[in-house]
Amino acid sequence: MKKLLKIIAGLILTLIIIFVAIAVIATNFVDPNSFKPVIEEKVLESTGKKLNIDGQLAWSFFPTLGISTGKIILQNPPGFEEENLLLVDQAKLSVKVLPMFVGKIELGDVVLKGLEVHLVKQTDGTTNWAMKAEGKEESTTPVTQTESTDSSGGGFSLASIPAVDVEDVHLTWN
């Protein structure tokens, strides 16, 4: 019985050492700022809006795997008086590691500090929060139906977002 407990304790210790080694390697050899152009490009492709990540990205590893940012700006589409749709002074986003091994993404808490949101609906009905439809130009009408995606085709699925903590919010609606 003692031999079995020693084997189990050794396996657990080995897993902890591997996780710490991955964390050390990632912080020393993978610069999260190298992902900024890819993130900005994907946001532009999926929303039709330009994203600027002005601040530095930084890793966090405890108690969840995460990333923190400095200033983030999401610009309005052309034709809107206000330049920006959304500004965030600082953001933190994390994911739980163990659920990823079974194909689920469980977010840790999402923290947004210094959030400014400027929502505009023009007289012709166009809004600055409408997202670009896939393969089409940006939608100018509000979305009235939510499409579900089939997660059986493999890949990851978003399982949950436990909490969103927003500090120092400024919201305008025109």
Side-chain angles (χ1 to χ4, degrees), residues 7-166:
I7 292 172
I8 292 172
L11 288 173
I12 292 172
L13 183 61
T14 302
L15 288 173
I16 291 171
I17 290 170
I18 289 171
F19 180 73
V20 169
I22 290 170
V24 168
I25 290 169
T27 56
N28 289 316
F29 296 109
V30 179
D31 180 14
N33 292 294
S34 64
F35 299 116
K36 284 165 82 170
V38 174
I39 295 168
E40 292 170 347
E41 178 184 326
K42 292 297 180 186
V43 168
L44 181 62
E45 286 176 11
S46 62
T47 68
K49 295 170 179 58
K50 186 174 180 186
L51 177 75
N52 293 323
I53 303 173
D54 289 340
Q56 294 295 310
L57 301 178
W59 293 117
S60 63
F61 288 97
F62 186 79
T64 56
L65 177 64
I67 195 158
S68 61
T69 72
K71 184 170 249 174
I72 299 173
I73 301 169
L74 184 64
Q75 295 180 351
N76 270 325
F80 287 88
E81 203 171 296
E82 179 72 36
E83 183 179 352
N84 300 315
L85 168 62
L86 179 121
L87 291 95
V88 178
D89 288 335
Q90 184 181 25
K92 293 180 183 177
L93 176 71
S94 61
V95 293
K96 296 176 183 176
V97 177
L98 291 178
M100 288 193 290
F101 290 112
V102 294
K104 291 188 179 185
I105 296 176
E106 289 187 25
L107 294 178
D109 294 344
V110 176
V111 178
L112 302 173
K113 294 182 180 180
L115 174 65
E116 289 185 32
V117 182
H118 305 281
L119 302 175
V120 177
K121 183 174 183 179
Q122 295 181 332
T123 55
D124 64 357
T126 59
T127 61
N128 66 340
W129 65 83
M131 297 297 156
K132 178 176 156 182
E134 189 173 322
K136 299 179 182 177
E137 291 300 313
E138 184 169 343
S139 173
T140 58
T141 57
V143 177
T144 56
Q145 180 179 3
T146 304
E147 293 181 18
S148 63
T149 57
D150 182 15
S151 61
S152 63
F156 286 94
S157 65
L158 183 59
S160 67
I161 300 175
V164 177
D165 182 16
V166 184

